Amino acid sequence: MEKEKYSEELNVAVRVVHMACGLCQKVQKGLLGNALDNDEVKSKDDDSLVTIADWSVQATVSWILSNTFGCENVSIVAEEDVQTLSKPESAGLLGKVVSTVNECLAQASRYGLEGPDKTLGPSEILEAISRCNSNGGPLGRHWVLDPVDGTLGFVRGGQYAVALALIDNAEVVVGVLGCPNYHMKRDGHNKQQQNHISSEVSVPSPDMLEEGCVMYSKKGTGEAWVQPTVYGDSKYEWPNFAKQVHVSPIDDPALATFCEPVERANSNHSFAAGLASSVGLRNKPLRVYSMVKYAAIAQGDAEIFMKFSRAGYKEKIWDHAAGVLIVQEAGGVVTDAGGRSLDFSKGIYLESLDRGIVACSGTKLHEKLIGAVYARWESSSL
């Protein structure tokens, strides 16, 4: 039945993201208790950061997907490679990754998944990571994974996300976002209570670390759902405690809250600020690491996410696929700055992206922003 299409994939994806969130929380607690310049945090060639959580989540998700659906049936596009881990001087780092992955996979049965029947060795962990070598494209099914989206937020104790999506013939059909430091919206909570999506750099309190959520959706359902993350010795129960999320009904720019990236390196804050002013946005922008920005729109904590990249920067599909689907199925609108749907058919990059990305809770706000982009673009330096 068409209604059941992708149901198994969604089920497995939600479970493995819950697993990955638990892994990340343990690693983050360890990082917050140590100096951030230790050997658990590395810089990549583009000066972005990578931690043992990035490699460990990628290995875990890769192993589970391959074991569940068969290696020959699984194509994975993911951010990390094994270049750093494979160096002789990285033996200690690789050992920590191997230990972290095996500890996580040993818990697979708690999430209704099948783990390995024996401890995985370094070569098997490296193989699982390097198996994520697909470049995507217009045909076939491709899983798209960002193991820790917002690594800088992760190492600073802020927001980050585990993002997993399934693309089928260039369409995002399953999207899952694990947000370990982002709370579910409680019944009766006021939108103005934004502390749970604060981007402030601070060490979370113990109770904050014990709240988080996994948000997910399947294409064409018109539904997006959120669950609390699994803690302690409790077992994951599908779909217990799931709650449907909806975008905010606010369409007055003066009342709307907009999100943007924290980093200035690949995002033009000044252009976004001018655009916000021109359409009457009065609230201060909420600068948040990672795809938590999409989750905030999906459950009504914010109305707008804008990102206008600086010249030369190319958006990657793993930074958007899962979040875009969840916002759309929750009732929102996501396009490029020219008003066109995002194109996930060109490989690992959003190659045909027009100027930037605009996500909104509704069509009224979206139309105003797209119109303002056209009006202001000629005078910009982008």
Side-chain angles (χ1 to χ4, degrees):
M1 291 177 61
E2 187 69 23
K3 185 177 181 181
E4 298 302 315
K5 195 173 184 181
Y6 309 118
S7 291
E8 183 182 4
E9 290 84 352
L10 177 64
N11 190 332
V12 172
V14 171
R15 292 171 188 269
V16 76
V17 169
H18 270 286
M19 281 181 67
C21 286
L23 183 160
C24 287
Q25 285 170 323
K26 289 183 180 180
V27 174
Q28 189 183 54
K29 286 179 181 179
L31 285 176
L32 294 176
N34 298 299
L36 294 184
D37 60 353
N38 61 27
D39 66 353
E40 295 184 9
V41 182
K42 297 291 184 182
S43 292
K44 295 190 282 190
D45 290 340
D46 62 358
D47 292 329
S48 61
L49 296 177
V50 60
T51 71
I52 63 170
D54 294 83
W55 287 302
S56 298
V57 168
Q58 187 159 313
T60 298
V61 173
S62 173
W63 194 93
I64 290 291
L65 291 180
S66 298
N67 184 63
T68 303
F69 299 109
C71 289
E72 69 280 4
N73 301 318
V74 173
S75 168
I76 306 175
V77 184
E79 184 168 15
E80 307 306 337
D81 58 37
V82 296
Q83 185 175 351
T84 299
L85 280 181
S86 300
K87 295 178 180 178
E89 61 268 28
S90 297
L93 180 63
L94 176 58
K96 291 180 180 179
V97 171
V98 171
S99 175
T100 302
V101 173
N102 278 303
E103 184 180 345
C104 183
L105 287 174
Q107 301 294 314
S109 61
R110 285 180 53 207
Y111 300 88
L113 296 169
E114 183 180 340
D117 54 12
K118 63 180 180 64
T119 300
L120 302 182
S123 62
E124 293 167 299
I125 299 297
L126 290 172
E127 180 187 357
I129 296 171
S130 60
R131 198 179 297 141
C132 305
N133 60 0
S134 172
N135 289 319
L139 301 176
R141 290 189 178 190
H142 309 287
W143 290 95
V144 179
L145 170 69
D146 194 336
V148 179
D149 180 41
T151 304
L152 188 56
F154 176 79
V155 300
R156 291 181 172 182
Q159 296 293 348
Y160 66 97
V162 177
L164 181 62
L166 176 63
I167 294 178
D168 191 355
N169 291 330
E171 285 193 316
V172 185
V173 294
V174 166
V176 185
L177 279 180
C179 308
N181 286 344
Y182 177 43
H183 305 335
M184 284 178 61
K185 194 172 186 178
R186 305 302 183 197
D187 291 336
H189 259 212
N190 188 298
K191 175 180 171 296
Q192 301 305 318
Q193 294 176 299
Q194 304 238 352
N195 60 314
H196 59 300
I197 49 171
S198 171
S199 60
E200 292 300 313
V201 176
S202 60
V203 177
S205 61
D207 62 324
M208 180 178 176
L209 281 173
E210 298 204 346
E211 289 200 52
C213 70
V214 174
M215 203 171 286
Y216 57 91
S217 190
K218 188 171 69 167
K219 183 176 176 60
T221 60
E223 297 175 350
W225 297 85
V226 65
Q227 298 172 334
T229 44
V230 178
Y231 291 95
D233 296 324
S234 59
K235 293 183 69 173
Y236 174 78
E237 301 289 344
W238 174 280
N240 285 5
F241 308 113
K243 172 183 169 185
Q244 193 170 352
V245 294
H246 303 276
V247 295
S248 165
I250 291 174
D251 59 11
D252 181 352
L255 302 177
T257 296
F258 83 92
C259 302
E260 64 180 357
V262 177
E263 306 91 334
R264 296 177 181 272
N266 58 23
S267 182
N268 192 309
H269 287 174
S270 61
F271 181 80
L275 193 65
S277 177
S278 70
V279 298
L281 294 176
R282 296 178 183 173
N283 289 329
K284 183 180 178 181
L286 191 64
R287 290 177 180 165
V288 182
Y289 293 107
S290 82
M291 265 187 275
V292 166
K293 295 181 284 288
Y294 283 114
I297 294 177
Q299 77 164 6
D301 286 320
E303 286 73 36
I304 298 166
F305 164 41
M306 297 186 289
K307 183 179 182 185
F308 299 95
S309 300
R310 296 184 179 277
Y313 182 82
K314 297 169 73 173
E315 296 287 348
K316 303 170 186 71
I317 60 173
W318 54 68
D319 287 326
H320 299 282
V324 167
L325 179 68
I326 290 170
V327 167
Q328 289 173 333
E329 297 299 323
V333 183
V334 186
T335 69
D336 65 18
R340 300 183 304 178
S341 298
L342 303 189
D343 185 354
F344 291 94
S345 72
K346 306 296 186 183
I348 67 173
Y349 297 109
L350 295 172
E351 293 282 5
S352 56
L353 191 69
D354 185 351
R355 293 171 283 196
I357 293 173
V358 178
C360 293
S361 56
T363 56
K364 187 174 179 180
L365 284 173
H366 184 262
E367 288 170 359
K368 286 186 177 182
L369 282 165
I370 297 300
V373 168
Y374 278 97
R376 295 185 59 86
W377 191 260
E378 293 302 321
S379 62
S380 76
S381 58
L382 291 176

